[in-house]
Amino acid sequence: MSMNTQGRPSRPLHTHDAGAYTDTFSGSRGLDQAEPLIFERGRVDVTGVDLPEPTGAALRIGGLERKAEIGLPGLAEPETMRHYVRLSRKNYAIDLGLYPLGSCTMKHNPRLNEKMARLPGFGDIHPLQPQSTVQGALELIGELARWLMVLTNTPCVAMSPKAGAHGELCGMMAIRAALDARGETGRRRVLVPESAHGTNPATAVQCGFFCDEIPADATGRVDMAAFKAKLGPDVAAIMLTNPNTCGLFERDIKEIADLIHEAGGYFYCDGANFNAIVGRVRPGDLGIDAMHINLHKTFSTPHGGGGPGSGPTVFSQALAPFVPVPYVVREGETWRLVEHEHEAEGQPFGRMVAFHGQMGMFTRALSYMMSHGSDGLRQAAEDAVLNANYVLARLRHVMTAAFDGTCMHEALFDDRFLKGTGVTTLDFAKAMIDEGYHPMTMYFPLVVHGAMLIEPTETESKASLDRFCDTLEGLALAAQAGEAERFTAAPRHAPAKRLDETRAARTPVLRWSPPAETPQAAE
Amino acid sequence: MRYLPLTPEDRKDMLETIGAPSVDALFADVPETARLKGPVDLPRRATELEVERAFTAMSSRNLSASTAPFFVGAGAYKHHVPATVDHLIQRSEFLTSYTPYQPEISQGTLQTLFEFQTQVALLTGTDVANASMYDGSTACAEAVLMACRITKRQRAVLSGNLHPHYAEATRTLAKYMDIEIEAAAPVPGGLDAVSDALTDDVACVVVQNPDVFGQVHDLRPLAEAAHAKGALLIAVFTEVVSLGLIESPGAMGADIVVGEGQSLGVGLQFGGPYVGLFACRDDRNFIRNLPGRLAGETVDADGRRGFVLTLSTREQHIRRDKATSNICTNSGLMALAFTIHMTLLGEAGLRTLARLNHERACEMADRLAALPGVEVLNSAFFNEITVRLPKPAAGVVEALAAKGILAGVPASRLYPGKGLDDLLILAATETNTDADLDALEAGLKEVL
């Protein structure tokens, strides 16, 4: 096979033109080593695995053999190892330091969970093996379901949703199915507070609903007068996040539940922030009809650079008949999978995904839950709330707290303290990178201007929080002292300097392409 | 508690700084009646050793694939994953990072996603791919929605030989979007009548190759028929290794190609997490309608190449109720595993692996065809075949499982009540030894 990879990279690794500079010949900066793409380094005839030789017998694929070169480069095993280890070093991670990304809940990921998920009886079984050969796995799903139902005080849980947003879809589809079963085809309006996650409105629309926003009041919570005014016979549901995205508990939540039920609608709760209250408050006691639980957030399954997630969704009695397939049931000493709609007892709205959900996340989450126990989970929620309030208390004299009073598990600041400094929220965030921290969540929630949402989580020590608060205090004072350059030039100490996101969106380059045949001499 | 670093002394000091009398005071916004006074009714904390014992006990009640002659496929496949893959995905910096919202300190994740997108585009014979979906079935469902947005039509036609779970996931997602889904009847070992349903109002035709019964098809006639009606062809695969041997769906005329990437790097895991692959033509309208994340190339302030998440204006956090989908995450870690395994294989390794899979399946087909009363239905296949047995397949599979042989998936488990009770779907891969095939053959002889 010919080699396809000896050309130029699709963009230069480093250049000396147009004012750009680099001070090394290799493009590396010490331990921060420049690493080309596999397409620039590998060759199509190199492989990093030893496989037996095929016998060369005739093919029986209907004459559809692929003939042309695919263009996939290979690397030998040591080259592969070095390539991905080098790349890994360009990432920030919770194992490296505090990751205060509000709403994302970056907490310690215990390695016991990884070990448990890799037991051959969980990691190496097929979803369509005979059920008699996977009784332990079905039991694990059943046991995790039990923990989730007890912690939320709900009678039913759908385990198959593959992520939080998929769980939202599951809950809202059950609501749609319940309304359809009642013959209520006119109920299509879903009330969504201004502070909702962007997935909430998108989810409602995918269920054939349209959204109607409820504003926030001066305390950062649902404006009750506005909410009441919007209730009517066409209201299908409210989608509320609790604790909400401002890091606050919705004080009127029980009244909201009662009012939406009286109006004939359902109460969907976005459970992304369940980690703030797990073991202390049961959402079922608050009157919710459906709520997804992000296992990766509350129960510490690692998020691997953006997934996988897992979003089991609990249901109230009213919605339980509509739970999707598949699910597990216990019959005496035997566990059984209900895989088809016609075997189900209620009126499931269908199947959301090919198999039974994120088994690998179930094992990790249950391992974490059993490690904590009922007492430890409660303590974890308390420490998460304590840590956030500590950050709020330590920083409110130099940064502006968005709201008065205490918070739940995340502290919300806004950009008023940067007014007139020439430093933007983004600049401030990039300066945190130079200090060795991942920036907080920015510009969200939308209800405050220049939002900075800090979630320390329960796995930070007091010493770690003190160092973090000292650093942020230093940055805030520097900004106010006119040291704008420190911020606008940031990050100075990162694998990359500030990246041109506009250019990426305007002229999208979404894949590597082989270099052109003739050199671009005209350039 | 080993995961919680605060000491009682710390908690006291911190409450003092906050100016709160107790932790309870921090929960003051919770209605009094909803505040639990003590722990819920679940076991209290367990030591690491206790958790390991409980899990090992549950794990031992399952028959794991590597300890049995194993021929189960139908959407998930057992392949050997090099040790390097599992080691690298457990690197802290990959395992414990989040979505790369800050590109300057996420180049590791972003560059690997860019490599992943390129590999997927090359494999599928298309131009661009996204940074992965939850799995193949959700990718399939999202592809149908995308085709409806592009063509502004509200009807989709599914092949009867599309994996029924994929069809069901698609039907569920389309259910409340006013999209009409029509499906042809399954034709095991043959060509279903999906092209008969093509009319001028069809947005897309969805066809799987190799199909759920293992049959390999030439997609070109269907692509031509679909395009003639202004419809898009969505090609689905559940066995990505097949792309190392068979002509790519893109080259055969598919407009959108989706599938499951579990075979490379990910492992069986009882069905998840898996990795959905999603690729399409390089067309402005297609890219604007692509669901999910995209990594794109750009430069940093020094002019050095770098990568960012891009074109997020299609996504839920910007467009909210006008977003192309509600998806907020991808399968980042599984996409990484896929990319590392693919990089180790390279083109040469992938082609060899595909060839080995096919040869094992040929051998299995020949051995089964020689058994009295057993008929192999496929004329062309990759690593999976469907056989007709002289008795119901479900009972045969159970009887063989009792002997420690995992002999495949009865078609009745996927298509209950469709009269396919005597059909068995079996997959063979490079992991199957001669002894495995001997055991399957001997086991079938005994129970048939």
Side-chain angles (χ1 to χ4, degrees):
Chain A
M1 285 183 207
S2 69
M3 300 191 300
N4 73 330
T5 54
Q6 299 301 303
R8 293 182 304 113
S10 49
R11 287 280 186 282
L13 280 175
H14 55 100
T15 64
H16 293 272
D17 55 83
Y21 77 94
T22 175
D23 58 358
T24 61
F25 297 108
S26 59
S28 297
R29 296 187 272 216
L31 289 178
D32 173 16
Q33 287 153 321
E35 187 59 23
L37 292 160
I38 49 171
F39 307 97
E40 294 151 1
R41 162 166 287 176
R43 296 193 327 227
V44 293
D45 52 357
V46 169
T47 182
V49 294
D50 283 327
L51 292 165
E53 272 304 305
T55 63
L59 298 174
R60 295 188 225 168
I61 55 170
L64 291 168
E65 189 181 1
R66 188 198 269 269
K67 293 192 180 72
E69 190 173 89
I70 310 171
L72 287 163
L75 296 178
E77 189 176 299
E79 295 175 302
T80 303
M81 185 67 91
R82 193 173 283 166
H83 176 71
Y84 289 104
V85 168
R86 283 183 172 189
L87 286 183
S88 77
R89 293 161 56 102
K90 299 178 191 298
N91 266 6
Y92 195 89
I94 187 65
D95 285 352
L96 283 168
L98 199 155
Y99 212 128
L101 206 52
S103 198
C104 298
T105 313
M106 294 301 285
K107 60 171 76 171
H108 172 57
N109 298 134
R111 290 311 193 275
L112 172 62
N113 303 350
E114 296 303 307
K115 189 176 175 187
M116 296 302 94
R118 284 173 172 79
L119 288 171
F122 301 125
D124 190 31
I125 53 173
H126 190 288
L128 296 174
Q129 275 181 230
Q131 293 183 27
S132 58
T133 65
V134 290
Q135 284 294 303
L138 297 179
E139 179 191 349
L140 186 139
I141 296 176
E143 181 66 3
L144 176 61
R146 182 175 79 90
W147 279 71
L148 294 175
M149 288 187 287
V150 170
L151 288 169
T152 54
N153 194 25
T154 51
C156 178
V157 55
M159 297 298 287
S160 68
K162 291 220 152 210
H166 209 218
E168 277 176 35
L169 198 58
C170 177
M172 292 306 287
M173 281 193 170
I175 287 172
R176 174 69 196 257
L179 289 171
D180 287 358
R182 277 162 45 185
E184 297 228 41
T185 53
R187 286 190 185 271
R188 293 292 178 263
R189 196 154 53 95
V190 171
L191 308 180
V192 185
E194 218 180 336
S195 63
H197 291 120
T199 48
N200 293 172
T203 299
V205 168
Q206 286 209 318
C207 297
F209 297 120
F210 64 94
C211 297
D212 190 0
E213 266 194 12
I214 317 174
D217 68 11
T219 74
R221 296 172 174 87
V222 169
D223 184 319
M224 287 301 282
F227 165 63
K228 286 175 193 166
K230 286 181 184 295
L231 291 170
D234 63 337
V235 170
I238 183 172
M239 292 184 87
L240 182 76
T241 305
N242 187 54
N244 71 20
T245 51
C246 298
L248 304 169
F249 199 91
E250 291 284 352
R251 287 184 200 121
D252 301 316
I253 190 162
K254 289 178 91 167
E255 196 188 348
I256 291 171
D258 290 344
L259 288 170
I260 194 82
H261 289 148
E262 272 167 39
Y266 293 97
F267 182 4
Y268 186 84
C269 185
D270 181 322
N273 297 333
F274 187 47
N275 60 307
I277 56 172
V278 62
R280 277 205 69 114
V281 181
R282 298 181 302 185
D285 295 342
L286 302 170
I288 62 118
D289 289 302
M291 182 181 95
H292 74 269
I293 299 165
N294 303 70
L295 293 185
H296 57 282
K297 295 188 186 188
T298 302
F299 302 113
S300 83
T301 68
H303 211 41
S310 181
T313 305
V314 295
F315 288 116
S316 67
Q317 203 64 58
L319 290 183
F322 304 97
V323 65
V325 290
Y327 52 82
V328 298
V329 290
R330 188 177 187 159
E331 292 164 349
E333 288 306 298
T334 307
W335 290 90
R336 186 169 70 86
L337 258 173
V338 177
E339 292 182 287
H340 300 287
E341 292 185 49
H342 68 269
E343 302 167 43
E345 274 180 27
Q347 309 163 59
F349 60 79
R351 168 187 281 276
M352 299 190 71
V353 69
F355 301 117
H356 327 309
Q358 306 283 59
M359 184 65 182
M361 302 294 110
F362 298 164
T363 43
R364 288 169 176 87
L366 186 64
S367 161
Y368 173 88
M369 290 160 118
M370 287 170 66
S371 298
H372 267 293
S374 58
D375 49 335
L377 288 173
R378 184 182 167 92
Q379 185 70 58
E382 288 181 0
D383 286 357
V385 172
L386 182 64
N387 280 355
N389 276 287
Y390 184 66
V391 169
L392 185 64
R394 285 247 3 227
L395 291 176
R396 70 191 319 160
H397 70 286
V398 284
M399 293 170 65
T400 29
F403 300 103
D404 291 334
T406 57
C407 62
M408 296 303 286
H409 62 303
E410 41 197 4
L412 180 61
F413 299 92
D414 61 37
D415 65 358
R416 280 174 289 172
F417 74 100
L418 292 174
K419 203 173 175 197
T421 61
V423 176
T424 65
T425 310
L426 183 71
D427 297 333
F428 191 84
K430 299 299 182 192
M432 285 173 69
I433 292 175
D434 284 336
E435 304 293 340
Y437 289 108
H438 192 284
M440 70 289 263
T441 293
M442 281 178 295
Y443 305 118
F444 179 82
L446 306 173
V447 288
V448 301
H449 192 269
M452 302 184 191
L453 188 63
I454 297 178
E455 181 175 12
T457 82
E458 70 276 13
T459 55
E460 295 304 322
S461 68
K462 178 170 179 294
S464 155
L465 295 179
D466 281 332
R467 278 196 299 275
F468 177 71
C469 291
D470 290 346
T471 303
L472 258 58
E473 186 177 18
L475 285 175
L477 293 174
Q480 285 151 9
E483 295 175 32
E485 170 74 1
R486 173 193 289 277
F487 298 87
T488 51
R492 292 164 297 173
H493 309 294
K497 300 221 169 151
R498 229 181 274 196
L499 285 147
D500 188 345
E501 308 212 24
T502 312
R503 171 177 171 156
R506 230 173 245 164
T507 47
V509 179
L510 304 177
R511 60 170 284 184
W512 177 85
S513 299
E517 289 289 317
T518 47
Q520 296 174 339
E523 267 187 1
Chain B
M1 214 295 156
R2 61 189 182 276
Y3 302 150
L4 302 176
L6 296 184
T7 64
E9 195 62 27
D10 290 335
R11 294 187 182 108
K12 213 170 121 254
D13 290 350
M14 291 164 75
L15 281 170
E16 211 160 283
T17 303
I18 295 165
S22 65
V23 170
D24 267 333
L26 302 176
F27 286 81
D29 289 328
V30 180
E32 181 67 42
T33 51
R35 280 186 235 167
L36 293 176
K37 301 294 174 264
V40 293
D41 185 21
L42 287 167
R44 296 175 77 83
R45 74 189 69 177
T47 64
E48 186 154 334
L49 179 62
E50 287 167 334
V51 174
E52 284 186 15
R53 279 186 185 142
F55 269 71
T56 306
M58 281 189 284
S59 169
S60 67
R61 296 180 60 208
N62 305 317
L63 182 56
S64 64
S66 300
T67 59
F70 185 88
F71 301 91
V72 192
Y77 302 88
K78 176 173 159 47
H79 292 285
H80 179 254
V81 178
T84 301
V85 176
D86 200 43
H87 173 82
L88 284 170
I89 69 167
Q90 287 195 77
R91 289 275 304 184
S92 282
E93 303 89 332
F94 284 133
L95 183 75
T96 76
S97 56
Y98 199 71
T99 302
Y101 290 138
Q102 298 291 336
E104 294 84 1
I105 46 172
S106 309
Q107 286 300 301
T109 292
L110 288 160
Q111 182 168 334
T112 57
L113 289 178
F114 189 79
E115 292 179 350
F116 170 82
Q117 289 172 186
T118 307
Q119 286 174 333
V120 173
L122 289 168
L123 270 168
T124 53
T126 57
D127 303 313
V128 293
N130 75 7
S132 82
M133 312 286 281
Y134 303 143
D135 75 345
S137 69
T138 53
C140 175
E142 291 280 352
V144 168
L145 264 51
M146 174 170 155
C148 290
R149 288 193 296 272
I150 290 172
T151 60
K152 301 193 166 54
R153 298 177 181 181
Q154 292 293 98
R155 195 157 158 258
V157 182
L158 313 185
S159 157
N161 294 2
L162 170 67
H163 196 296
H165 290 178
Y166 282 45
E168 287 167 36
T170 302
R171 212 178 290 267
T172 300
L173 197 61
K175 191 167 187 168
Y176 301 123
M177 302 276 284
D178 292 326
I179 293 170
E180 194 190 326
I181 304 277
E182 195 175 320
V187 179
L191 193 62
D192 72 330
V194 66
S195 56
D196 295 354
L198 267 171
T199 48
D200 286 335
D201 61 343
V202 170
C204 59
V205 179
V206 184
V207 63
Q208 181 177 324
N209 197 40
D211 70 25
V212 73
F213 301 105
Q215 186 71 17
V216 173
H217 303 280
D218 185 351
L219 302 180
R220 280 169 288 219
L222 189 56
E224 277 167 33
H227 294 156
K229 297 282 183 192
L232 303 181
L233 178 67
I234 298 174
V236 179
F237 56 87
T238 59
E239 172 53 289
V240 65
V241 177
S242 70
L243 298 179
L245 188 62
I246 299 169
E247 184 57 278
S248 74
M252 289 198 276
D255 304 285
I256 304 174
V257 183
V258 293
E260 178 54 66
Q262 169 272 335
S263 290
L264 293 184
V266 176
L268 288 171
Q269 306 199 77
F270 204 41
Y274 285 177
V275 54
L277 312 185
F278 197 118
C280 67
R281 300 199 316 234
D282 184 8
D283 174 304
R284 185 178 285 264
N285 198 23
F286 276 56
I287 289 170
R288 212 178 48 224
N289 278 292
L290 257 180
R293 284 187 187 140
L294 293 167
E297 185 184 303
T298 188
V299 291
D300 79 352
D302 284 350
R304 294 170 25 130
R305 176 173 62 188
F307 303 92
V308 294
L309 290 182
T310 193
L311 298 176
S312 57
T313 45
R314 309 156 297 119
E315 289 185 74
Q316 38 73 27
H317 61 272
I318 309 259
R319 296 261 289 169
R320 294 169 79 86
D321 55 349
K322 294 190 175 52
T324 51
S325 88
N326 83 326
I327 288 180
C328 169
T329 192
N330 62 338
S331 286
L333 197 67
M334 278 42 244
L336 174 69
F338 177 99
T339 286
I340 297 168
H341 194 173
M342 189 62 247
T343 300
L344 281 166
L345 286 168
E347 176 148 355
L350 179 72
R351 284 181 183 265
T352 303
L353 180 66
R355 187 86 200 197
L356 289 168
N357 271 256
H358 182 58
E359 288 180 358
R360 275 279 119 165
C362 288
E363 201 178 338
M364 173 174 72
D366 289 344
R367 288 209 196 193
L368 296 183
L371 294 175
V374 177
E375 181 195 355
V376 175
L377 301 185
N378 308 71
S379 52
F381 56 88
F382 172 62
N383 68 353
E384 191 155 24
I385 57 170
T386 297
V387 297
R388 190 182 302 284
L389 301 177
K391 53 167 81 164
V396 172
V397 166
E398 277 300 333
L400 289 176
K403 295 174 183 296
I405 301 164
L406 296 173
V409 181
S412 61
R413 185 159 178 189
L414 298 175
Y415 294 93
K418 290 271 195 269
L420 304 180
D421 292 2
D422 55 353
L423 300 188
L424 179 62
I425 304 168
L426 305 101
T429 71
E430 81 286 357
T431 64
N432 289 116
T433 61
D434 289 341
D436 290 344
L437 286 171
D438 291 344
L440 176 67
E441 199 179 338
L444 275 171
K445 270 185 189 154
E446 256 179 80
V447 303
L448 287 181

